[in-house]
Amino acid sequence: MIGFSVHRLWAVVTKELRQLKRDRLTYAMIVGIPIMQLLLFGYAINMDVRHLPAAVVDQAHSSRSRQVIDELHQSRVFDFLYAPATSSGAQTLLRNGDVKVIVVVPADFEHRLTTDQPPLQLIVDGSDQVVQQAARQLSQFPVRAYLRGQSLSPPSSPVAVAAYYNPRRQAPLNTVPGLIGVILTMTMVMFTAIALVREREHGNQEFLITTPLSSAELTLGKVLPFIGIGVIQTSLVLLLGHLIFQVPVRGPLLDLYLAALVFIVASLALGILISTVVRSQFQAMQAAIFTFLPQILLSGFMFPFEGMPRPAQWFAEILPLTHFVRLSRGIMLRGADLTSLWPELLALGVFSAVALGVAILRVNKRLD
Amino acid sequence: MTDQDAGPAILTRGLTRRFGDLVAVDHLDLSVPRGQVYGFLGPNGCGKSTTIRMLCGLLLPSEGDIQVLDLDIPRQAEALKQRIGYMTQSFSLYRDLSVRENLDFVARLFGLSRGRRRERLDQLFHTYRLGTLADQLAGTLSGGQRQRLALAAAVLNDPELLFLDEPTSAVDPQSRRDFWDVLFGLADGGTTLLVSTHYMDEAERCHRLAILQDGALVAEGSPARLKEEMRGVSLLVTTANPRRAQHALDDQEGVRSCAQIGATLRVLVDDEATLATVRQRVRDVDPDATVAVTDVNLEDVFVAATLGRPEHGEARS
Ligand SMILES: Nc1ncnc2c1ncn2[C@@H]1O[C@H](COP(=O)(O)OP(=O)(O)OP(=O)(O)O)[C@@H](O)[C@H]1O
Ligand SMILES: [Mg+2]
């Protein structure tokens, strides 16, 4: 082998940047994907529930029962569409699918408040996961505390309840740190795999092999620009997350960027590995999505890590996104720094080394 | 000029490449002298590209030895890369880069300094008439322009040995001629060229030729010698109804091939003795037909060689 040449590496990097500049679509996707995902996960795919159609059966008819109902209404979890007189009338509505939830305020509501008996009754459509989750939220509704506070202070301060319930504030807070990782995974893995395969598919490789360019120089030169792109995407999500959803970075910003950098390298390594397995750009895209799905589902980004079965948790430990979600949440939300999160960095490092190692073995074979 | 220049540019012994059960190149013994234009002639899929790839060190041979410019291939393939140029069969530069950007990229891969790059690019723009196209994207070039760009990229490092794999497909006759003038210019400058082609007029211009069939060498030599030594006779049949005449000669003993060229029929037969039979057959169809012996051309050689007659004079073992 001829030695590694920085000049040749740089020649490849500048060539890639030139091509990227002309590739409007990729260009648009690099900026478009983060913005779209941020808005999508921030607004649309809100994993907290709002505006469930509901019926309320008020059997107490007291001012306090009306206050509680009004408060529930303002939480926006429920839209009280019906107020039938009897609970059997409400159950018909539930069966017909007109409502998903029935809130019953029993006749002895005032009495129950002073005892250990639950003051409110909730009848839900058990066939709907979303509704069950809402019911869980509601069971934490501080009816007693609220009513006690209410009796002490003027009626114009239901803020404590509103903040507790406002899901618009909480969801992006939890989502954005992981979302940085999701976006980086998507673009880094797919774009690198495609970019590397393109050279082969377009027949450029056949000419390049007869020049002094080594495959290490070619591969590295092609992926280096993506590190810059990844850093730009990270900054974009952080900035928009801050401006639109007031997502904070409580830990050191430098540590967050370092974590992102290590994660970018791990994703590039995965992209390089994919490129050595597939034969066409289309296959590269499929393979990238194939690795993307388990990452988004099992990393703890979408569903709580603790809620998954053990084997799924073990498997998730292999995935780079799992570790990055922990890193970014730790730094952004808990204000941790890298010294306390080093095992996650180490895991990403090991993943990169293994992926690159396998890729190098496969490239040597392929050069035939 | 070093003393190494004495040996042939390319020497192979028993060169073989298999893809699964398919034998793409079959025990090829080649010897390509330096400073010449050497032609590779053969039908589609006969192994021309595969052979060239092995000679460049792109593909490992299944069997056999290769020496290119006195280097052992594939062992010393890296050292070879500085000294050869390769113009691939399909365009292998970047369509989304301009002519200048493509050549500049290649020049940087070969480690040319900024000043040298500018100088060399200007030379190439001039020689290959690319000056006015310098800032056009390679993907928008015409077939002939693209081929000039590919050649410019292949010779950028002043290679001692240049491989050209069907360089003139998709190029008009005048451009092909110009292209060959450039090739001879390179050969005069001491470069060895190995060119694969389907065109007989191009094959005719080579100093030496190798005719391949199913991966095996079936004829080798200068075009003149190949024609001289071909066993067989070419006949020209002039008739009002060439198609019916051709039918009449189907399956005729001693007739190797039959091709209609305008209003005449070119017939390749084993020997002069067959002439009488042919004349008889043709006159059965058209009493006014004439049959005359004509000069053997390279196409006859090619047809004779690739029909796979083992008794052919030039076939090597
Ligand atoms: N990578 C490969 N895998 C399997 N078979 C191959 C491969 N490359 C070439 N072949 C086969 O080897 C044979 C020779 O192919 P090659 O490309 O060398 O032909 P060629 O003489 O260049 O043909 P053409 O004139 O059409 O370019 C063909 O039958 C082809 O299908
Ligand atoms: Mg070919």
Side-chain angles (χ1 to χ4, degrees):
Chain A
M1 285 295 272
I2 300 182
F4 191 89
S5 153
V6 180
H7 291 290
R8 287 195 294 263
L9 175 70
W10 190 241
V12 178
V13 171
T14 48
K15 183 217 74 163
E16 281 300 310
L17 290 175
R18 276 208 181 105
Q19 289 182 299
L20 203 63
K21 219 169 59 189
R22 300 218 169 101
D23 186 355
R24 287 283 149 87
L25 188 66
T26 305
Y27 214 47
M29 274 172 33
I30 286 166
V31 182
I33 286 181
I35 295 177
M36 192 196 71
Q37 298 258 332
L38 187 73
L39 297 181
L40 202 68
F41 280 97
Y43 284 126
I45 310 181
N46 202 323
M47 280 171 270
D48 284 315
V49 190
R50 277 182 287 161
H51 300 297
L52 288 175
V56 63
V57 184
D58 187 356
Q59 295 165 338
H61 296 293
S62 68
S63 66
R64 282 193 166 182
S65 74
R66 272 192 293 277
Q67 259 178 21
V68 168
I69 290 165
D70 193 39
E71 205 50 56
L72 283 173
H73 191 70
Q74 279 184 11
S75 75
R76 298 195 192 160
V77 177
F78 303 115
D79 283 344
F80 291 120
L81 304 176
Y82 304 93
T86 63
S87 60
S88 70
Q91 277 170 23
T92 312
L93 288 168
L94 188 70
R95 242 192 323 274
N96 294 345
D98 294 330
V99 297
K100 297 262 183 204
V101 183
I102 304 167
V103 178
V104 180
V105 187
D108 57 349
F109 175 62
E110 308 263 343
H111 172 72
R112 282 174 183 236
L113 283 175
T114 60
T115 68
D116 273 352
Q117 275 184 294
L120 290 178
Q121 194 188 3
L122 211 63
I123 302 166
V124 300
D125 178 355
S127 65
D128 194 327
Q129 294 261 332
V130 175
V131 179
Q132 286 189 339
Q133 191 193 339
R136 261 203 308 281
Q137 281 182 15
L138 196 76
S139 67
Q140 290 160 19
F141 187 73
V143 177
R144 284 193 192 85
Y146 166 70
L147 289 173
R148 229 173 280 135
Q150 179 72 16
S151 60
L152 294 173
S153 54
S156 61
S157 61
V159 184
V161 177
Y164 188 76
Y165 257 96
N166 185 357
R168 285 186 60 188
R169 277 199 178 175
Q170 274 206 327
L173 205 71
N174 285 326
T175 313
V176 169
L179 195 58
I180 298 174
V182 170
I183 289 164
L184 288 177
T185 309
M186 222 168 152
T187 40
M188 294 297 107
V189 177
M190 195 181 298
F191 286 1
T192 41
I194 288 178
L196 288 171
V197 174
R198 186 173 53 204
E199 211 94 342
R200 222 181 300 139
E201 211 178 27
H202 287 190
N204 306 126
Q205 197 109 327
E206 187 166 7
F207 174 75
L208 290 180
I209 296 178
T210 56
T211 72
L213 184 69
S214 72
S215 55
E217 289 157 355
L218 177 65
T219 307
L220 204 58
K222 285 186 76 82
V223 302
L224 274 182
F226 286 103
I227 294 184
I229 289 168
V231 171
I232 291 173
Q233 289 186 322
T234 307
S235 309
L236 197 64
V237 178
L238 280 178
L239 189 71
L240 289 180
H242 180 69
L243 292 180
I244 305 178
F245 303 111
Q246 289 82 47
V247 178
V249 182
R250 298 199 175 111
L253 191 63
L254 184 68
D255 285 18
L256 181 62
Y257 270 97
L258 274 177
L261 208 61
V262 175
F263 178 65
I264 289 170
V265 171
S267 300
L268 293 179
L270 182 59
I272 294 171
L273 179 61
I274 288 177
S275 78
T276 65
V277 180
V278 300
R279 304 215 145 262
S280 67
Q281 292 187 61
F282 181 67
Q283 284 182 357
M285 200 147 73
Q286 284 182 314
I289 291 171
F290 182 74
T291 64
F292 178 65
L293 280 179
Q295 298 220 73
I296 202 172
L297 293 176
L298 300 181
S299 62
F301 167 73
M302 273 239 175
F303 308 111
F305 195 79
E306 289 70 27
M308 299 190 309
R310 267 292 143 78
Q313 288 189 5
W314 293 330
F315 178 70
E317 292 292 341
I318 305 173
L319 306 172
L321 188 58
T322 308
H323 301 284
F324 182 72
V325 166
R326 287 178 197 158
L327 281 167
S328 60
R329 282 189 182 155
I331 295 170
M332 290 175 71
L333 303 181
R334 293 204 311 274
D337 58 24
L338 285 183
T339 43
S340 60
L341 292 167
W342 65 267
E344 313 298 338
L345 273 188
L346 183 70
L348 288 177
V350 170
F351 179 89
S352 311
V354 171
L356 278 180
V358 176
I360 287 169
L361 287 180
R362 291 200 50 93
V363 165
N364 280 348
K365 251 188 214 162
R366 164 173 306 277
L367 278 185
D368 205 334
Chain B
M1 296 274 129
T2 63
D3 53 352
Q4 285 186 340
D5 285 350
I10 301 173
L11 192 67
T12 73
R13 283 282 161 263
L15 180 59
T16 302
R17 172 72 206 207
R18 282 180 282 267
F19 295 107
D21 285 341
L22 178 86
V23 185
V25 177
D26 191 4
H27 295 90
L28 206 58
D29 296 336
L30 278 180
S31 173
V32 177
R34 288 181 196 246
Q36 291 201 348
V37 180
Y38 192 92
F40 252 28
L41 194 62
N44 289 123
C46 69
K48 301 184 293 292
S49 300
T50 306
T51 305
I52 292 177
R53 288 190 183 123
M54 287 192 288
L55 296 177
C56 295
L58 288 177
L59 208 62
L60 282 183
S62 310
E63 255 177 62
D65 302 313
I66 309 173
Q67 278 215 331
V68 180
L69 302 174
D70 299 308
L71 296 172
D72 258 350
I73 306 301
R75 193 171 57 81
Q76 294 172 299
E78 288 301 327
L80 183 68
K81 286 179 180 181
Q82 296 278 2
R83 298 168 61 190
I84 59 165
Y86 175 28
M87 183 171 159
T88 52
Q89 184 167 358
S90 57
F91 186 67
S92 56
L93 294 171
Y94 297 95
R95 287 160 202 269
D96 49 354
L97 290 184
S98 71
V99 170
R100 187 194 306 279
E101 289 165 345
N102 264 304
L103 291 178
D104 190 62
F105 174 60
V106 178
R108 291 170 69 172
L109 295 186
F110 280 103
L112 268 58
S113 67
R114 183 184 289 263
R116 271 293 288 136
R117 287 211 298 273
R118 172 168 303 204
E119 210 176 291
R120 185 75 180 122
L121 255 59
D122 282 341
Q123 269 173 14
L124 292 172
F125 286 158
H126 178 74
T127 315
Y128 298 97
R129 294 179 289 122
L130 293 167
T132 56
L133 305 168
D135 294 311
Q136 196 173 329
L137 292 188
T140 63
L141 296 176
S142 78
Q145 295 166 341
R146 199 175 290 172
Q147 163 237 34
R148 294 208 300 274
L149 169 60
L151 181 61
V155 301
L156 194 141
N157 60 328
D158 284 320
E160 295 163 55
L161 171 61
L162 185 58
F163 295 95
L164 302 120
D165 197 355
E166 291 180 36
T168 55
S169 44
V171 171
D172 70 63
Q174 181 57 45
S175 302
R176 251 167 59 198
R177 250 185 229 181
D178 296 344
F179 188 81
W180 274 81
D181 285 344
V182 176
L183 294 193
F184 278 114
L186 287 167
D188 286 345
T191 310
T192 309
L193 291 94
L194 190 143
V195 189
S196 80
T197 182
H198 293 297
Y199 296 113
M200 292 306 149
D201 61 325
E202 292 189 352
E204 194 94 49
R205 306 175 86 160
C206 297
H207 293 109
R208 281 181 85 82
L209 271 181
I211 298 179
L212 298 181
Q213 161 83 346
D214 290 335
L217 190 68
V218 288
E220 209 266 354
S222 70
R225 265 193 57 148
L226 284 172
K227 282 187 277 191
E228 242 168 59
E229 296 187 353
M230 191 192 84
R231 285 172 47 190
V233 177
S234 269
L235 305 177
L236 212 55
V237 178
T238 316
T239 162
N241 199 336
R243 289 192 58 77
R244 283 188 60 195
Q246 186 169 0
H247 271 300
L249 294 174
D250 273 353
D251 303 326
Q252 175 63 43
E253 179 81 15
V255 174
R256 294 189 192 172
S257 85
C258 214
Q260 187 181 344
I261 297 156
T264 62
L265 208 58
R266 199 176 174 94
V267 183
L268 190 63
V269 295
D270 280 345
D271 44 38
E272 300 253 1
T274 325
L275 174 66
T277 343
V278 169
R279 183 172 286 141
Q280 184 61 48
R281 283 292 183 113
V282 170
R283 291 221 167 124
D284 287 346
V285 178
D286 173 14
D288 297 332
T290 62
V291 178
V293 175
T294 182
D295 283 342
V296 168
N297 66 18
L298 209 50
E299 189 159 345
D300 297 328
V301 174
F302 180 75
V303 169
T306 55
L307 276 178
R309 298 271 160 145
E311 72 271 20
H312 188 268
E314 284 298 312
R316 289 181 167 197
S317 53

